[in-house]
Amino acid sequence: SKKQKMTAVVISQEKIAEDIYSMWLKAEPVAAEAVPGQFISMYTNDGAKLLPRPISLCEIDKEKGALRVVYRVTGEKTGTKQFSQMKAGDSLEVMGPLGNGFDLETGKEKKALLFGGGIGVPPMLELAKQLTAGYQTECQLVMGYRSETFLTKEMEANGTLYIATEDGSTGTKGNVMDAVAADSLEADVIYACGPTPMLRAIKQYAQEKGIECYISMEERMACGIGACLGCVCQSKEVDDHSHVHNKRVCKDGPVFLATEVEL
Ligand code: FAD
Ligand code: FES
């Protein structure tokens, strides 16, 4: 496997919304291998916090050997809080690229719906960039937020953007499926990343319409490399003895065909 643990250097960091930070990291070997939908494990410099934080790749700049991550600070005294305090020139350990990434070929010359919800928004940016640039995909980006939006300029540069907010402050009031209904959107293929209730609704919609659908799951994780089984989800695979085969989100995913997993 090509994943590796290495020291990355912070190139820049900015706060882009309440509790949401955007960080560019220099991590040449990781950037060289990475594909959309993959993630990195980020280690804090605090010895008391041993487990890394899995964070999706929001942008991959192969020329600069750089990665962009966009993440939410989940509270005081958290690892993500520590990341948010880092400045250009600081270094941290990262491992990656991890996981399997989205199937780009399926989107080739097709009309696609890309769904992102909350911290599931960031990974859809690099996916939209690569689908638009390399696969002639018509990207319709449907992004859902609680209230404050982020990454909208970047999204608009890579497709048609539709926004849903829970409080109705921007775009359609409600969730991403409300935006699909409001704008009568249609597609040949769906890619999605976000909270489980959102993925469940999208999976059901895809099933009803008979649309191929890929989802990225953001389960709780520990080791991030398939060793601890701390991230298993139920799959639909059943063996000859009626045993359900569980899948590891970190290694078998985080991207799955929606039909492969129970939500
Ligand atoms: P703490 O409370 O300090 O975390 C304690 C421990 O629990 C850590 O080991 C932490 O990694 C683990 N943990 C807590 N919540 C989660 C969670 N939801 N998922 C996995 N581990 C968790 N968040 C973003 O903001 N942006 C992203 O792009 C992003 N991509 C992700 C991609 C994948 C594949 C997964 C699995 C999760 C992703 N997340 C993302 C969620 C992010 O990993 C958690 O919010 C983060 O680990 C919380 O860490 P903390 O230091 O804030 O919290
Ligand atoms: Fe350890 Fe997935 S996090 S097996």
Side-chain angles (χ1 to χ4, degrees):
S1 136
K2 300 214 172 97
K3 65 174 175 286
Q4 42 198 314
K5 190 167 173 185
M6 63 162 296
T7 304
V9 178
V10 178
I11 298 169
S12 62
Q13 167 133 270
E14 66 178 313
K15 185 176 178 180
I16 58 171
E18 193 59 32
D19 294 326
I20 306 283
Y21 289 79
S22 165
M23 184 193 268
W24 275 102
L25 286 168
K26 182 102 179 168
E28 217 151 7
V30 182
E33 301 292 341
V35 297
Q38 286 190 303
F39 64 96
I40 54 173
S41 269
M42 294 172 59
Y43 292 79
T44 68
N45 292 323
D46 172 353
K49 289 185 166 58
L50 293 178
L51 293 173
R53 274 63 177 159
I55 303 289
S56 299
L57 301 176
C58 171
E59 288 191 76
I60 304 162
D61 186 333
K62 295 199 190 267
E63 258 166 53
K64 295 198 178 109
L67 302 169
R68 185 185 191 185
V69 288
V70 169
Y71 60 93
R72 170 171 284 140
V73 172
T74 65
E76 292 305 316
K77 300 192 178 138
T78 60
T80 47
K81 176 82 189 183
Q82 290 182 19
F83 297 146
S84 74
Q85 291 162 339
M86 299 185 82
K87 304 260 178 306
D90 289 347
S91 60
L92 74 160
E93 296 297 299
V94 303
M95 183 160 57
L98 298 173
N100 64 345
F102 287 107
D103 185 317
L104 294 151
E105 276 299 327
T106 306
K108 192 165 180 156
E109 290 163 13
K110 298 258 174 66
K111 190 167 177 165
L113 269 167
L114 279 63
F115 290 106
I119 52 147
V121 167
M124 306 322 281
L125 176 55
E126 183 63 28
L127 177 64
K129 280 173 65 179
Q130 293 202 17
L131 283 174
T132 301
Y135 295 83
Q136 296 93 45
T137 309
E138 183 186 337
C139 290
Q140 306 170 94
L141 311 170
V142 188
M143 300 297 136
Y145 306 86
R146 286 177 198 157
S147 173
E148 195 182 2
T149 63
F150 52 89
L151 293 176
T152 55
K153 278 207 187 73
E154 291 95 324
M155 292 287 178
E156 276 167 352
N158 292 284
T160 314
L161 177 63
Y162 302 89
I163 293 173
T165 51
E166 283 170 20
D167 65 0
S169 53
T170 310
T172 303
K173 181 172 164 55
N175 60 34
V176 291
M177 292 315 301
D178 294 318
V180 167
D183 293 289
S184 309
L185 303 179
E186 290 174 357
D188 311 310
V189 57
I190 290 175
Y191 300 97
C193 184
T196 304
M198 177 187 117
L199 297 179
R200 199 177 289 136
I202 291 169
K203 175 180 173 170
Q204 193 187 335
Y205 168 80
Q207 225 153 17
E208 282 163 10
K209 300 265 178 184
I211 306 172
E212 187 155 13
C213 177
Y214 294 89
I215 54 168
S216 181
M217 315 237 298
E218 298 194 334
E219 286 289 317
R220 232 158 222 285
M221 281 190 193
C223 74
I225 54 166
C228 74
L229 306 184
C231 65
V232 290
C233 63
Q234 243 187 35
S235 88
K236 295 245 169 171
E237 265 170 42
V238 178
D239 67 18
D240 300 342
H241 311 283
S242 308
H243 290 129
V244 174
H245 279 216
N246 287 329
K247 293 200 183 262
R248 296 160 299 184
V249 172
C250 68
K251 186 134 194 222
D252 305 319
V255 178
F256 295 99
L257 258 176
T259 49
E260 279 179 350
V261 287
E262 297 275 6
L263 287 172

